[in-house]
Amino acid sequence: MFDKRTRIIVGMTTLYNEYLGISIPGLARLGKKFTLIIYNDNPDTKVKKSYIRRLGYRGKLYVVNGGHNIGQLRARLAIVDFVRKKKLNADWFIFVDDDDILANIVIPNVSKNNFAIIQNMAVVRTRLIDVLRVARNATNYTIDNENIYLVRPHVGLAGTLVRYSAILRMADVMNNALQSISDVDESLTFRPPVDMMMWSALNIIARHDNERATPIYMDTINYIATDVDTCPTKYGMNIQPTKNPTQQISRAIARYDAAIRAALHDNNAALWGNN
């Protein structure tokens, strides 16, 4: 039922490097070989391999220190570009945020049409002690729907296993759509919903290339998110819209989706033009 031979790449972006003290020890305890790639999006700091080793991770490791802050989307795309340039091979890819914990990395045998494996997420929302506990032991928590609640299923790119080929394809299309995506970003009065936007783009692209493509759901908790920082703003912008947040985010995602579909259309037109 489970494939023990699969090759996996874990991509992690970091801005506040202190958060690595939460995420890296969890990766070190997974008990499965994988390649970790860290992109440091903080130009004022330098993350060294020796620091990651001191946090307990002993597996294959690459660290990229960015020269200037480029944001989560471009930092994630930079990881994929790095993977391509290094000609790293893998079967599956997963993004992990630096303040979250990957609880397991088990991969079932699934159809070739399954481009992603959706699972569940536990969210630590109120108490620092719970963050400290899960940082030391990813099973040391209780879902009480007050301090820690369950997202079942968790639909998003962070914490979701994606086929390596699908991640490469998504990055190609998104790189072509970056200007249009930036135009949407600049029109918003709140932080761009990067994770939701990338997940939606992945689905659009996968189904554009293969009408049978679909994610598959596995009813397990593989990701623990920390949400104890309740500051309403970040980098001078509201994290959420102040009015009708669901509606505003949905409209933004629709505009991002349109940019992705336009990039796919342009790519198809270019292919036809070359024939």
Side-chain angles (χ1 to χ4, degrees), residues 92 108 110-119 153-157 160-163 166 199-200 202-204 206-207 210-218:
W92 293 88
V110 298
S111 165
K112 291 182 179 180
N113 291 323
N114 297 135
F115 64 87
I117 302 172
I118 298 172
Q119 299 179 67
H154 164 54
V155 180
L157 197 58
T160 297
L161 285 156
V162 181
R163 287 197 184 275
W199 170 250
S200 184
L202 175 69
N203 280 264
I204 290 170
R207 289 170 175 142
N210 175 10
E211 63 181 11
R212 295 183 178 180
T214 182
I216 193 170
Y217 173 60
M218 186 163 68

Side-chain angles (χ1 to χ4, degrees), residues 7 21 36 47 51 111 153 162 209 253 256:
R7 298 165 298 177
L36 172 61
V47 175
Y51 174 60
S111 165
V162 181
D209 294 346
I253 295 297
Y256 289 124

Side-chain angles (χ1 to χ4, degrees), residues 228-243:
V228 296
D229 187 351
T230 57
C231 179
T233 62
K234 192 173 184 179
Y235 312 127
M237 294 186 71
N238 291 325
I239 294 177
Q240 294 280 346
T242 55
K243 295 181 179 180

